[in-house]
Amino acid sequence: MENEELIKDDRTRGIFRVHRSTMTSSELFRRERDRIFSKCWIYLGHESEVGNPGDYRRRTVAGRPLFFVRDHDGQVRAFFNSCPHRGSLICRADSGNAKTLQCFYHGWSFNTRGELTGLPGEDAYGPCFNRSELGLKEPPKVGSYRGFYFVSFDADADELTTYLGGAMEYLDLVVDQADAGMRVISGSNRYSIKANWKLLAENSLDQYHLMTTHRTYVSYIDGLGTDDTVEPVTARPGGVGKSLGNGHCVAETPARYGRPTAYWHALFGEDAREPMRLARERLVEKYGEERAYRLADVTRNLLIFPNLVINDIMAITVRYFEPVAPDRMDVTAWHLVPKGESEAMLAKRLDSFLTFLGPGGFATPDDVEALESCQEGFGATAMEWSDLSRGMLRPIPHGDDELQMRGFWRQWHAYMLGLNEADVRDGEVR
C-alpha cells in the first residue's frame, strides 16, 4: 500500500480513518526509522538525572545506544555509547558516576568531555595516530528546554525551540508548579507492550476511554468521598483536545481527581488539606488566579512528537516509548516531582502516582491490555481501517473527541510522505 492510501482525511464529511497496516507493516516500520526517528528531536532525559559532575545515564534512543553525562565543568553532554576503537559499549550500567569512562574491552579511556585520554600501549601506534580524532562521538544535535534534553540525528534539523513550538507552553505549566524547579526521582517503571508504538501515542491523548477502560479507578476515587470543592469524577466538565503543531498534541481537562500540586482530594488525607491550600495561595500570588488555576486545577496529557508523553494528571509522569518492532515497544516512565518538596507531600504524591500509573496501578495494566488487544485484533485483515472521526465536525472540540490524535496522525503521514517540516503546518500539507 502506498503512503497516500494510509490515511483517509475527509474534512468536509468529517471522516478520518487510518489503515491498519500502519500498525503491522515491517516496511512502514523501517520507513519510520528513516523518516521520523532519524529526523525529529527525540527525548533523551532530564537534567536532574545527572545532577553532579561525572553522573551519567545510559539510554536507547531511536534504536541508537547513547548516554548523557554531566562533565566536570557542569555541562550536560550526550554521546553515542560506542567505543571509537572497536565499538564496545562504554557505559555498561544504566547509571553511575565516573571521573573517567573506560571501555572494558581494550581499556581505552575518555574524560567526561568525550576526549580520549589514555590507551594501553600507545607507543605501538605510528606518528599519524591522533587522539583528538578518536574521542567519543556526539549526536549531530543536542538541545534542552526547561531541563528536558533532546537529541536529533539530523544535522539540518530546526533548532529545538522551533521544533517544540506550542508544546513549550505546556512544558512551562509543568515546571512552573514548583518554585525551585523539578527533579526526576530515582527508579523507573519499565515494561514492554506487544503493540505498535503509535497505539500508545493515541492512548496517552485519549480521554474517551476513561469511563470504560478505567471504570474501576473512577469508582475508587469517587468512593473515597469529596467535599464541596471537589466534584466526583463523573460530574466534572469535559476539557479540550488541541493540536499544537509539528505533531505535538495535548488533552487538557479540569481535574477529575486530586492533584498534589495544590488541588486537595480525600485521597491525600486531611493532613494535606491545609498545606495544599497554602501552596495554591502561593501560586495565585506568583502567577495570578488564571494561571494558578491552570497549574493546580487542570490536568494535561502532552505528547511531544513522536514518542514522549508527559502525564501531568494526579502526578507527573515522563513516559518514553521506544519502538522495537511493528508489534512491540519498550516503555520507560519516570516520576517528576518538585525540588524541595516535603517528605510527607512527596510520599502522598508517590502514592497517587503508583495508584493510577504505577506498574500495578489501576491504569497501566488496563492500557497495556487494551493496546495488546488492538494489536491482536489487527490480525483480522479483512477489516482494514481504524476510525478516528469523533468530534471532527464540532465547531468547538470536546476533550473526549479525537482531534488531538488526528493532529498526531497528520504529522506522521506528512513525514512518511517525505515532506520537510517547512511543508507542513499543524499536520496539514501546504
Side-chain angles (χ1 to χ4, degrees):
M1 173 168 284
E2 296 297 325
N3 283 329
E4 289 80 359
E5 300 175 278
L6 296 175
I7 302 288
K8 291 182 178 180
D9 190 0
D10 188 334
R11 304 187 190 205
T12 301
R13 296 173 59 229
I15 299 296
F16 192 97
R17 290 181 183 143
V18 176
H19 198 271
R20 291 178 176 178
S21 65
T22 58
M23 306 293 192
T24 61
S25 167
S26 296
E27 172 60 22
L28 290 176
F29 182 79
R30 183 192 66 76
R31 286 189 221 168
E32 288 175 341
R33 287 285 195 197
D34 293 340
R35 298 184 183 184
I36 295 177
F37 290 93
S38 294
K39 298 292 184 182
C40 295
W41 285 89
I42 311 293
Y43 182 64
L44 176 64
H46 192 265
E47 64 179 5
S48 64
E49 297 181 83
V50 288
N52 301 308
D55 284 354
Y56 66 84
R57 297 280 176 163
R58 180 175 74 162
R59 297 279 145 84
T60 299
V61 179
R64 285 92 160 170
L66 299 181
F67 70 92
F68 63 110
V69 59
R70 189 173 294 275
D71 70 21
H72 285 82
D73 296 321
Q75 181 178 344
V76 176
R77 298 177 178 270
F79 298 103
F80 288 99
N81 192 7
S82 179
C83 182
H85 179 219
R86 296 286 188 84
S88 178
L89 296 176
I90 297 294
C91 294
R92 301 175 69 219
D94 287 339
S95 62
N97 182 279
K99 291 182 179 180
T100 298
L101 301 158
Q102 186 177 71
C103 175
F104 88 106
Y105 192 10
H106 294 95
W108 284 33
S109 299
F110 307 85
N111 62 25
T112 52
R113 294 189 298 275
E115 299 162 334
L116 177 62
T117 55
L119 64 160
E122 187 173 359
D123 58 354
Y125 292 88
C128 292
F129 181 82
N130 186 346
R131 283 192 189 186
S132 65
E133 296 175 349
L134 290 165
L136 299 176
K137 185 174 179 61
E138 298 177 278
K141 288 202 167 185
V142 180
S144 69
Y145 182 75
R146 300 300 303 268
F148 297 92
Y149 272 81
F150 297 78
V151 298
S152 176
F153 303 108
D154 180 6
D156 296 323
D158 286 340
E159 292 306 305
L160 176 62
T161 52
T162 301
Y163 178 77
L164 290 175
M168 289 188 291
E169 173 189 353
Y170 291 89
L171 290 174
D172 290 342
L173 286 169
V174 171
V175 178
D176 288 347
Q177 293 174 37
D179 290 337
M182 291 286 183
R183 67 183 178 94
V184 170
I185 64 170
S186 60
S188 61
N189 180 11
R190 301 171 67 177
Y191 53 100
S192 295
I193 305 177
K194 292 181 287 187
N196 188 274
W197 67 275
K198 297 184 290 299
L199 285 173
L200 187 55
E202 287 184 0
N203 169 266
S204 299
L205 295 167
D206 186 342
Q207 302 294 305
Y208 188 26
H209 76 289
L210 174 67
M211 303 303 290
T212 51
T213 308
H214 303 314
R215 185 182 306 164
T216 304
Y217 179 77
V218 170
S219 299
Y220 166 70
I221 290 296
D222 283 350
L224 289 174
T226 61
D227 64 10
D228 58 2
T229 67
V230 181
E231 299 169 290
V233 172
T234 51
R236 295 292 285 175
V240 64
K242 298 178 183 177
S243 180
L244 304 172
N246 290 342
H248 316 312
C249 305
V250 68
E252 200 170 18
T253 307
R256 300 176 175 182
Y257 25 65
R259 280 173 51 75
T261 302
Y263 188 79
W264 184 86
H265 186 278
L267 176 70
F268 298 124
E270 282 295 326
D271 59 321
R273 188 193 290 263
E274 182 62 12
M276 294 179 80
R277 186 188 68 79
L278 293 174
R280 197 180 191 291
E281 284 186 358
R282 288 194 295 272
L283 290 176
V284 171
E285 182 179 351
K286 185 172 183 178
Y287 296 110
E289 185 62 50
E290 181 178 350
R291 186 166 180 80
Y293 171 79
R294 292 189 73 194
L295 290 167
D297 298 4
V298 176
T299 70
R300 57 199 64 86
N301 289 317
L302 171 67
L303 170 75
I304 295 180
F305 190 90
N307 61 333
L308 172 67
V309 169
I310 299 180
N311 304 107
D312 184 8
I313 43 181
M314 77 294 295
I316 305 173
T317 303
V318 178
R319 178 191 283 166
Y320 173 86
F321 34 105
E322 173 78 10
V324 177
D327 58 355
R328 184 187 157 189
M329 70 186 103
D330 290 341
V331 184
T332 306
W334 300 270
H335 192 35
L336 195 69
V337 306
K339 292 180 181 177
E341 186 171 53
S342 71
E343 289 297 320
M345 281 308 302
L346 177 59
K348 293 179 185 298
R349 182 184 292 270
L350 287 172
D351 182 70
S352 183
F353 161 70
L354 292 170
T355 297
F356 189 68
L357 291 166
F362 282 100
T364 298
D366 286 344
D367 287 331
V368 171
E369 174 66 21
L371 302 193
E372 292 186 348
S373 177
C374 290
Q375 193 72 38
E376 187 173 352
F378 296 152
T381 54
M383 303 176 68
E384 296 186 65
W385 299 91
S386 292
D387 187 88
L388 290 92
S389 304
R390 183 177 171 86
M392 197 166 173
L393 295 182
R394 282 196 222 269
I396 300 175
H398 295 184
D400 58 0
D401 287 339
E402 294 167 337
L403 178 149
Q404 56 271 30
M405 285 81 92
R406 292 191 290 271
F408 166 83
W409 275 109
R410 285 169 178 151
Q411 190 73 21
W412 177 90
H413 195 212
Y415 274 112
M416 295 296 279
L417 290 171
L419 301 176
N420 296 319
E421 288 178 8
D423 300 317
V424 178
R425 174 175 293 154
D426 197 18
E428 297 186 34
V429 180
R430 296 184 187 176

